[in-house]
Amino acid sequence: MEPHILPHHLFSPLRLREVTSRNRIAVSPMCQYSAEDGYPNDWHYVHLASRAVGGAGVVITEAAAVEARGRISPQDLGIWSDDHIASYRKIVDLVEGAGAVAGVQLAHAGRKASTRRPWEGRHALDEAGGGWSPIVAPSSIAFGDGYQVPEQLDAEGIATVTDAFAQAARRAREAGFRLIEIHGAHGYLISSFLSPLANKRADEYGGSFENRVRLLEDVVTAVRSEWPKTLPLFVRISTTDWSEGGWTVEDSVALAGRLTALGVDLIDCSSGGNVVAAVPIGPGYQTSAAAEIRRRTGIMTGAVGMITEAQQADHVIRTGQADLVLLARALLRNPYWPLLAARELGVDVPWPAQYERAKL
């Protein structure tokens, strides 16, 4: 189904159910590896609030683990306990107070769990080093050298994970977030169920396409049961494994249609992560998948990956390739990228009163 393309641009408002983003720029979830026992702290508050002050329309936290065993590292954010709720309310207050929509990404690392932080080598951590065991996955296949061999989740374990996502959604609601993104990309738990390269099961959660997408559909349904109908739900997927015999853009198109029927509002289109692969990285290298999914299903999409320039981001929106651009490294380099992009594009957007003297 061809979506109706209006003359939108990067700084057009974006309506998401009963939530409106002031523009089409989102802060992509970026792990900071700086939490303790899952709790956000001053680093996270400054990191996220500064990007809201800088003019982004949507600010999404880094991956928040729905189970303690679902963290990538011991320093990941978590939302597996009601005790975490209060510490997230400060994020919501800061981000929304600066005019942006506050979102949280719910995640489970699966077979990529219990590892060191990237700057420490990202190899498996044993319990003596602060890690944990077992880690879980669709099949007992390690991600690669230096990673633990995971336990295969049984039916009870799958039900536990699904409920953990639902309870995390409830906590996100109670914290005041207005947007949830389910992390179904990059070889983490949900993504590894989707990919035939990581999922070798022979039960109702493995084998056929319909079986491999079942966990994600279960999670979406569970999250929607706890998440208000008035608020938007995103899903991030790896649109391709970039590897023969793996997940493909065609699979992503088929999945997007199914997720639309379950109440998903936008597909955040990333790629890779299930296996080591040769990825043709370059400016906007994943945007074509976002455009294909949007064109063929009508669902809103988000484009992410090597989007760094104002004209480039604006072109993605104006040409209908995606409805939202999610920036990561560009916003790490400059939290005020949106304000400067507006100036470059000749769009008059308000600056914080405290910074108005710097506006040219």
Side-chain angles (χ1 to χ4, degrees):
M1 180 174 66
E2 183 77 23
H4 183 46
I5 299 176
L6 298 173
H8 296 308
H9 57 80
L10 190 61
F11 288 91
S12 298
L14 177 62
R15 180 80 170 178
L16 299 160
R17 296 196 180 228
E18 295 188 10
V19 174
T20 299
S21 170
R22 59 189 171 187
N23 56 47
R24 305 301 181 97
I25 302 166
V27 177
S28 188
M30 293 178 279
C31 288
Q32 298 297 293
Y33 303 104
S34 299
E36 184 174 344
D37 295 326
Y39 291 91
N41 54 42
D42 287 350
W43 178 268
H44 302 92
Y45 301 144
V46 172
H47 166 68
L48 296 167
S50 62
R51 273 100 195 142
V53 169
V58 175
V59 176
I60 308 176
T61 71
E62 67 189 80
V66 300
E67 292 187 314
R69 66 178 178 175
R71 291 170 291 169
I72 305 166
S73 78
Q75 294 81 23
D76 280 23
L77 283 186
I79 195 167
W80 65 81
S81 167
D82 286 358
D83 291 339
H84 289 127
I85 295 171
S87 59
Y88 281 100
R89 288 183 181 137
K90 186 172 181 179
I91 290 176
V92 173
D93 290 345
L94 289 168
V95 168
E96 299 270 342
V101 176
V104 60
Q105 187 186 64
L106 306 183
H108 195 299
R111 67 179 184 160
K112 287 183 165 182
S114 189
T115 62
R116 294 183 177 90
R117 293 179 287 192
W119 57 85
E120 296 170 340
R122 190 173 271 183
H123 295 298
L125 272 173
D126 58 22
E127 292 184 28
W132 53 92
S133 182
I135 61 173
V136 295
S139 303
S140 295
I141 305 170
F143 172 70
D145 294 340
Y147 287 80
Q148 290 186 47
V149 176
E151 283 190 357
Q152 178 171 310
L153 278 170
D154 60 16
E156 182 180 355
I158 288 172
T160 297
V161 167
T162 302
D163 183 64
F165 273 95
Q167 295 309 311
R170 173 184 58 79
R171 296 180 189 112
R173 183 189 74 230
E174 293 179 11
F177 285 104
R178 293 198 292 152
L179 184 152
I180 281 177
E181 176 169 277
I182 296 169
H183 198 346
H186 301 162
Y188 299 121
L189 185 65
I190 291 173
S191 176
S192 64
F193 267 84
L194 297 176
S195 173
L197 300 178
N199 183 347
K200 302 298 184 181
R201 303 173 73 95
D203 65 0
E204 62 181 335
Y205 287 92
S208 68
F209 170 87
E210 289 74 15
N211 285 353
R212 286 183 283 109
V213 303
R214 193 181 307 277
L215 175 63
L216 177 53
E217 292 181 333
D218 288 351
V219 167
V220 167
T221 299
V223 166
R224 260 292 166 213
S225 73
E226 293 286 350
W227 191 238
K229 292 181 180 179
T230 56
L231 299 180
L233 176 61
F234 292 4
V235 173
R236 170 167 277 190
I237 64 171
S238 285
T239 57
T240 174
D241 281 334
W242 299 110
S243 186
E244 186 177 352
W247 184 265
T248 67
V249 173
E250 283 296 319
D251 292 327
S252 296
V253 170
L255 175 63
R258 298 169 73 106
L259 295 182
T260 301
L262 296 176
V264 173
D265 300 290
L266 182 144
I267 304 295
D268 177 357
C269 299
S270 190
S271 69
N274 266 305
V275 294
V276 176
V279 181
I281 294 176
Y285 71 105
Q286 296 169 147
T287 303
S288 61
E292 183 77 357
I293 292 168
R294 186 179 189 272
R295 180 183 66 83
R296 291 176 59 185
T297 69
I299 196 170
M300 288 190 287
T301 60
V304 62
M306 299 290 284
I307 299 172
T308 59
E309 304 299 327
Q311 294 284 354
Q312 175 195 15
D314 190 48
H315 177 75
V316 169
I317 302 300
R318 287 185 181 273
T319 56
Q321 296 176 70
D323 300 273
L324 189 71
V325 292
L326 296 101
L327 306 185
R329 290 175 177 84
L331 282 170
L332 288 181
R333 290 188 284 266
N334 185 356
Y336 309 103
W337 188 97
L339 297 178
L340 299 177
R343 187 173 67 188
E344 181 179 335
L345 295 170
V347 180
D348 186 25
V349 301
W351 284 42
Q354 298 90 332
Y355 292 179
E356 189 68 31
R357 75 194 77 176
K359 185 178 180 181
L360 299 179

